[in-house]
DNA sequence: TTATCTGCAAACATTTTGCAGCGAG
DNA sequence: CTCGCTGCAAAATGTTTGCAGATAA
């Protein structure tokens, strides 16, 4: 009879490196950017391992994930582990965490009015942050 | 001196076929699904042409685009040409158009409070539609 | 006639996966 | 000693693009 349930998680040098790169970093970044950051920090970690670690962290709710316009996945470790949204800078990825029960309630209500169940909502706000506005103008 | 501005749009059999497949179809579908639908309707159209047509239609605001969980782009022709959101069925793609000035105002306000400009928001609601809930249960 | 469109195949970019060896527990 | 993890390279996926010929206007 096969093993069920979540396998043990091991504490490896590579996973510590990925988590380290995410900690206290305010911008959403792609897996490739994070990989580059880890490497330039002196740690040798394979790209596939970075992808696998990020997936694990995302599944565990340790990091937030969103897609940019081009469809690339971006990752960031947020202070708030609960449900929240982001205001993300289109140009540098910097993000601010935002809470709003109102939006969630609106989504659920509207969906249920149309006969939908198991309602989930996805809200992201994009803009140009103050710093990037200064550089660009 | 080179030509500037939008090139002429030609009315071809292929584009009519793609637009036809989108007209009065309530679900969001991938380019590949739409391609299959066009073909099974008896029209010979290349996949690349379908992609190009959809891009053109999307740029013109004639069709709405969103990404599903897997990152695939889905297309649908909506009645409302203005800004609106969708409640989309996770399982069949059927979508209901929803208007909400409140959500837009909330997004803009919150973003500006944090110093962001050129604010844009992205809101989609996912759920299981009544029909699919019946089939699955 | 001529600029745009089409089809095909090749190119792309991101992400996933198979596998053999490594290493945490 | 085991079973999960890693690195690499190969595969998979969805989408885009170059080019030569077809075709609206």
């Amino acid at each position: 009879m096969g093993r069920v349930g979540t396998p043990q998680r091991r504490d490896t040098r590579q996973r510590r490196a990925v988590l380290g790169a995410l900690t206290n970093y305010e911008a959403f970044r792609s897996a490739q950017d994070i990989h580059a950051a880890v490497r330039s920090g002196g740690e040798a970690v394979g790209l596939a391992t970075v992808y696998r670690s990020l997936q694990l962290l995302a599944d565990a709710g340790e990091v937030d994930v969103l897609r940019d316009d081009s469809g690339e996945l971006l990752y960031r470790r947020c202070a708030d582990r609960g449900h929240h949204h982001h205001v993300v800078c289109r140009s540098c990825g910097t993000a601010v965490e935002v809470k709003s029960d109102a939006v969630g309630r609106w989504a659920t209500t509207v969906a249920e009015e149309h006969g939908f169940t198991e309602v989930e909502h996805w809200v992201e706000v994009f803009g140009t942050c103050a710093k990037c506005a200064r550089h660009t103008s």
Side-chain angles (χ1 to χ4, degrees), chain A:
Chain A
M1 167 169 170
R3 213 179 167 300
V4 202
T6 317
Q8 299 286 13
R9 284 270 193 93
R10 289 186 182 169
D11 179 26
T12 65
R13 177 181 62 77
Q14 291 84 340
R15 287 191 186 169
R16 260 172 278 137
V18 171
L19 196 55
L22 288 165
T23 303
N24 298 324
Y25 200 92
E26 66 178 346
F28 273 90
R29 283 177 299 173
S30 68
Q32 320 232 17
D33 286 350
I34 292 165
H35 177 237
V38 168
R39 289 222 155 168
S40 69
E43 291 280 3
V45 179
L47 179 56
T49 300
V50 172
Y51 272 104
R52 284 187 275 228
S53 302
L54 290 170
Q55 222 164 40
L56 237 41
L57 289 166
D59 288 348
E62 294 278 322
V63 299
D64 282 21
V65 191
L66 60 82
R67 270 180 209 280
D68 66 8
D69 279 348
S70 77
E72 209 173 352
L73 289 170
L74 306 179
Y75 304 84
R76 175 190 143 144
R77 190 153 202 232
C78 283
D80 187 342
R81 298 273 263 90
H83 180 78
H84 63 274
H85 307 292
H86 305 102
V87 184
V88 186
C89 176
R90 249 184 305 263
S91 122
C92 71
T94 292
V96 179
E97 298 174 48
V98 177
K99 265 206 127 59
S100 171
D101 306 330
V103 176
R105 274 197 305 269
W106 168 81
T108 307
T109 306
V110 163
E112 286 175 350
E113 275 171 5
H114 287 94
F116 285 69
T117 49
E118 299 168 277
V119 181
E120 208 177 36
H121 64 287
W122 189 254
V123 176
E124 298 299 344
V125 183
F126 294 93
T128 306
C129 76
K131 196 193 281 181
C132 286
R134 225 173 294 132
H135 290 315
T136 321
S137 59

